[in-house]
Amino acid sequence: MSTDLRSAPSISLPVPKPLAPARRPSRLPGLLFTAVTKSVAIALLLVLWELAPRFELVDRTFLPPASEVLDAWLGLLDNGQLGVNTWASLNRSLSGFGLAVLIGVPLGLLIGWYRPVANLLSPLLELFRNTAALALLPVFVLILGIGETSKISIVLYACLWPILLNTISAVRSVDPTLLRLARSLDLSPVKLFQKVILPASVPVVFTGIRLAGAVSILVLVAAEMVGAKAGLGYLINASQYNFAIPQMYAGIVTISVIGVVFNQLLVRLERRFTAWRAPLNS
């Protein structure tokens, strides 16, 4: 007797319900806690700065309260002096810094990768790396004058060494295992340099670039105190001579803020170029 399978009753199996996607914990509380934690030290410094002169712990003639410095900063912003001097300093600093990156990174990669080039240039590097940039400031002024060229050149010189030396160190400290692995794949020297050396060198190279970013501002301020007619260094120096102490501190605070913002921009740029790296706690 044959059984007709088509006439057999169909059995319906329960369809499993799709799992609801797991909700990620909100990052907002953690971000707020981090922001508050990082702001506590700055807030305490500002409170101490405001109260110490008012309670005569220090002479307010030489260290005015933070509120007076803020008033002076707003006054400089309103009359245009702050904008003009800040733009002059940023133009010089970024020009010298950019030229240092364009020269230092390729030259450092070349010296670090090709031993004959390193043997040729090492004596010159050892000679100039131990010569402070500010010690050469009179030489730059005598040769290039007191105009923009000398100031951009001194920033270029000061920024070149952190970038160059860190780039050389980055290339020479690439993991030998990676190099052996790449050579076992019969990569050409160009491909080896492009696929292994460059990516592995980026973090240390950016360390040098960040150091150079801080140096570019500090050296420029010192250079602007000699024969400059505009710039934050000129503003600070002129305020000191005129005994406009709140304006002097306003210029110093502006330099500090610019340095912090510039460093944060470089950190974000570094994270973008090193996004391929896995975090240590992953």
Side-chain angles (χ1 to χ4, degrees), residues 49 69 73 236 247-259:
W49 188 358
V69 175
W73 190 90
I236 294 171
Q247 284 81 357
M248 182 189 74
Y249 281 104
I252 295 172
V253 170
T254 303
I255 292 171
S256 300
V257 172
I258 290 174

Side-chain angles (χ1 to χ4, degrees), residues 2 8-9 24 36 50 64 67 73 81 84 97 107 120 142 148 160 227 254 257-258 261 282:
S2 61
R24 294 183 179 180
V36 170
E50 180 69 26
S67 57
W73 190 90
Q81 291 187 50
V84 170
F97 173 77
L107 186 59
L120 176 66
L142 287 174
E148 299 298 307
L160 182 63
T254 303
V257 172
I258 290 174
V261 172
S282 61

Side-chain angles (χ1 to χ4, degrees), residues 100-101 103-113 160-174 193 197-198 201 204-209:
V101 172
I103 296 172
V105 173
L107 186 59
L109 294 173
L110 190 65
I111 295 173
W113 184 241
L160 182 63
W161 301 109
I163 298 173
L164 181 62
L165 297 176
N166 275 272
T167 304
I168 295 172
S169 175
V171 175
R172 291 180 178 175
S173 61
V174 174
F193 189 79
I197 301 298
L198 280 179
S201 303
V204 181
V205 170
F206 262 97
T207 300
I209 291 175

Side-chain angles (χ1 to χ4, degrees), residues 50-65:
E50 180 69 26
L51 296 181
R54 294 190 181 278
F55 286 96
E56 298 182 352
L57 298 178
V58 295
D59 190 344
R60 66 183 299 162
T61 304
F62 303 107
L63 183 63

Side-chain angles (χ1 to χ4, degrees), residues 5-6 15 47 63-64 79 81 191 207 220 222 233-235 239 248 262 278:
L5 296 178
R6 290 176 294 182
V15 179
V47 170
L63 183 63
N79 61 27
Q81 291 187 50
K191 287 290 185 182
T207 300
L220 177 65
Y234 166 78
L235 174 65
S239 300
M248 182 189 74
F262 193 28

Side-chain angles (χ1 to χ4, degrees), residues 143-157:
I143 296 176
L144 301 174
I146 60 174
E148 299 298 307
T149 305
S150 62
K151 294 173 179 57
I152 293 174
S153 298
I154 195 69
V155 173
L156 166 61
Y157 178 86

